[in-house]
Amino acid sequence: MTATVDPPWDASAWRSAARAALCAGLPPEQLDWSGGAQGSLLGGVDLAALPAQRSAPQVPSAFLALADAVLCHRADDRHGLLYRMLWRIAQGERALLLRAADPDVHRARTMAQAVRRDTHKMKAFVRFRAVPGADEEYVAWFEPDHWIVDRVAPFFARRFAGMRWAIVTPYRSALWDGRTLAFAAGGTRADAPAEDAREDLWRTYYANIFNPARLNTTMMRAEMPQKYWKHLPETALLPTLVREAGVRVREMAEREHQAPRRRIPAAPAAPAPAPDGLDALREAARDCRRCPLWQPATQTVFGEGPGDARTMIVGEQPGDEEDLSGRPFVGPAGRLFSRALDELGIDRGSLYLTNAVKHFRFEPRGKRRLHRRPDVAHIEACNGWLRAEIAQLRPARIVCLGATAARAVFGPGVRLTEARGLWRTRDDGVRAFATVHPSWVLRQGDPDAQAQAYAGFVDDLRLLTAA
């Protein structure tokens, strides 16, 4: 029995035939797959006409993506291989693709990798040449290893949407008229112009950007296989560029230093303690650009509280509500913190509240902004502001909420699990201890676990009442 896919790389044709065969209950060993222009046949009978013995199964999307790539491979056994994998998945091996050592999976992934590599080469090494006498019309010649023209042509349609072009290969041609992508029979090298006047400009540009100091002929051959050289105008320059590389490198080394033509902006100076107090410091931090977090954030969320506060609370970073309001500790975690203070009889208004990082770091997820922990670079970039706040306020004690705050206050190397609930004295004489962040308490999914975490958090804060 023979099943035929036409054209042999067409994913829709293979899926239709495979689905019909699978629903008809035909095991892989009873099917011979072949590509050709004869339509879907099974012993002279259309597969779709066979009575269905079962409904079509749900197939993992990863398998369909893998099949799309494998079908473009030139190997004759790819249709049967994919149907055998589909059959196994339908029989209950839903996690088949996770078995990297499985012979079928390994074979399919090897084919897909070869197709992806060929796809990359086509995108990199197609060179359009202007058609003599035509206005903005171009033709390129390419020889792919696999059946990838239908797969790659949409990429060129998007990238070169404003011109009319054709890509001719030995088995198939892709045609773009500026609006519609079409396909036709293959051609020969003679169907594309041999030369293009614009290629002189390209060669001049290539010769100028060629860096002899980074010459690595082995890597060049790996990235630009010699089979494509005949299509690339710049390859005619390579023998000369390679031969003269040593001389050019020596000339570069002996050349006198020249100031860069491009003006490189100086790095922003570290913020120094403002002489006019916290208000001036807050105003200066409003335009902080010391790390990229300022771009997506709404505003800088600086610390707030009495200028003579004896206790400073340092959190991690503003959350969503803090970012919108411009005030620290007003979101869910801040409300939990206030609740703990109330239970301990501590007046929140007597505390100075701030964060280690002053801008909200988040990840867009639909209409939501999901919190992301700041990187070390963000903590370091913002640490100048925190140091300035401590220098201005000169608190008697600091409470670090979470590991990020502990790192900002004590420096790298501190572990929250070891430092939690223990007073330590900083180099400047200020006593500080660390505890968990209230958002960690809120993340405890189980109610009992959350109650236990909250009780531990309150016990840690109780250190303030005894200080």
Side-chain angles (χ1 to χ4, degrees):
M1 297 181 179
T2 302
T4 303
V5 178
D6 178 31
W9 56 83
D10 188 274
S12 297
W14 180 84
R15 289 183 190 182
S16 297
R19 185 185 303 111
L22 191 67
C23 292
L26 293 176
E29 57 272 17
Q30 292 186 14
L31 277 177
D32 289 328
W33 292 82
S34 66
Q38 303 173 27
S40 295
L41 302 173
L42 173 62
V45 179
D46 190 340
L47 284 174
L50 293 176
Q53 305 296 323
R54 54 169 297 175
S55 58
Q58 292 290 326
V59 180
S61 58
F63 173 76
L64 298 178
L66 178 68
D68 288 351
V70 171
L71 287 167
C72 295
H73 201 279
R74 285 186 180 270
D76 292 335
D77 64 337
R78 64 193 187 284
H79 299 112
L81 169 67
L82 290 173
Y83 184 68
R84 186 164 60 248
M85 295 176 67
L86 177 63
W87 179 270
R88 293 175 61 184
I89 291 173
Q91 295 300 313
E93 295 185 66
R94 299 285 300 178
L96 175 62
L97 295 185
L98 299 179
R99 302 173 192 164
D102 182 275
D104 286 346
V105 175
H106 176 72
R107 171 71 171 153
R109 291 198 185 282
T110 301
M111 289 184 183
Q113 185 177 11
V115 169
R116 286 194 291 269
R117 188 181 303 115
D118 202 30
T119 298
H120 170 72
K121 299 301 183 188
M122 184 171 178
K123 291 179 180 178
F125 298 132
V126 159
R127 295 289 187 272
F128 289 105
R129 290 186 166 94
V131 177
D135 182 26
E136 293 299 313
E137 188 171 336
Y138 301 84
V139 178
W141 167 254
F142 192 73
E143 299 174 57
D145 291 334
H146 301 285
W147 313 107
I148 61 171
V149 171
D150 294 57
R151 181 181 177 87
V152 186
F155 164 81
F156 288 98
R158 293 191 298 272
R159 187 163 187 176
F160 302 103
M163 66 186 202
R164 291 172 295 154
W165 53 259
I167 300 176
V168 182
T169 78
Y171 82 97
R172 193 163 174 85
S173 299
L175 313 170
W176 174 256
D177 62 2
R179 301 179 62 181
T180 306
L181 183 63
F183 296 93
T188 65
R189 175 69 181 84
D191 293 325
E195 188 69 11
D196 187 331
R198 294 178 176 84
E199 291 179 359
D200 286 339
L201 294 174
W202 168 249
R203 278 189 282 264
T204 300
Y205 171 75
Y206 185 86
N208 280 275
I209 65 170
F210 184 84
N211 187 348
R214 302 183 64 181
L215 178 62
N216 185 333
T217 53
T218 301
M219 185 61 70
M220 288 176 65
R221 290 191 180 92
E223 293 298 319
M224 192 195 310
Q226 293 186 6
K227 62 173 290 185
Y228 301 113
W229 287 20
K230 58 181 178 294
H231 308 312
L232 308 176
E234 64 267 29
T235 54
L237 301 173
L238 290 178
T240 301
L241 293 173
V242 172
R243 186 172 58 253
E244 297 177 351
V247 176
R248 293 183 59 190
V249 170
R250 284 194 297 274
E251 291 175 350
M252 291 168 63
E254 295 169 356
R255 191 177 303 157
E256 292 186 4
H257 170 73
Q258 295 179 344
R261 298 178 182 176
R262 181 169 61 91
R263 177 174 295 178
I264 301 175
D276 297 327
L278 288 168
D279 289 341
L281 200 61
R282 183 180 295 105
E283 186 64 24
R286 195 184 306 278
D287 297 323
C288 181
R289 302 292 186 269
R290 295 181 59 80
C291 79
L293 292 185
W294 69 273
Q295 298 181 63
T298 303
Q299 57 190 311
T300 301
V301 181
F302 206 69
E304 70 173 22
D308 58 351
R310 304 305 297 153
T311 302
M312 170 184 277
I313 307 297
V314 181
E316 182 188 71
Q317 66 160 344
D320 187 77
E321 293 187 37
E322 286 84 357
D323 173 74
L324 296 175
S325 66
R327 298 183 59 205
F329 290 80
V330 297
R335 290 192 285 273
L336 182 75
F337 178 62
S338 296
R339 174 187 157 195
L341 294 177
D342 290 342
E343 291 184 13
L344 294 170
I346 300 175
D347 179 15
R348 171 171 164 147
S350 66
L351 308 177
Y352 184 86
L353 309 175
T354 190
N355 283 296
V357 175
K358 312 301 185 188
H359 283 118
F360 179 31
R361 189 187 191 201
F362 61 91
E363 176 181 336
R365 188 77 58 84
K367 295 182 179 179
R368 302 177 60 197
R369 303 191 299 175
L370 301 184
H371 166 276
R372 286 188 63 191
R373 173 178 290 188
D375 293 339
V376 172
H378 304 138
I379 301 172
E380 295 298 329
C382 239
N383 201 251
W385 297 114
L386 180 62
R387 289 198 305 269
E389 285 179 291
I390 295 173
Q392 287 290 334
L393 193 69
R394 302 180 67 84
R397 60 192 75 87
I398 298 175
V399 179
C400 310
L401 302 181
T404 297
R407 190 187 195 285
V409 172
F410 294 121
V414 63
R415 294 186 176 183
L416 182 60
T417 53
E418 298 174 357
R420 179 178 178 180
L422 298 175
W423 284 109
R424 302 174 65 175
T425 302
R426 285 164 37 99
D427 293 341
D428 57 3
V430 179
R431 300 176 72 209
F433 75 87
T435 182
V436 297
H437 196 281
S439 62
W440 176 82
V441 177
L442 293 173
R443 287 198 299 271
Q444 305 305 305
D446 180 74
D448 292 338
Q450 188 175 108
Q452 186 175 358
Y454 177 73
F457 176 58
V458 173
D459 282 344
D460 289 344
L461 294 181
R462 204 181 305 278
L463 291 173
L464 290 175
T465 62

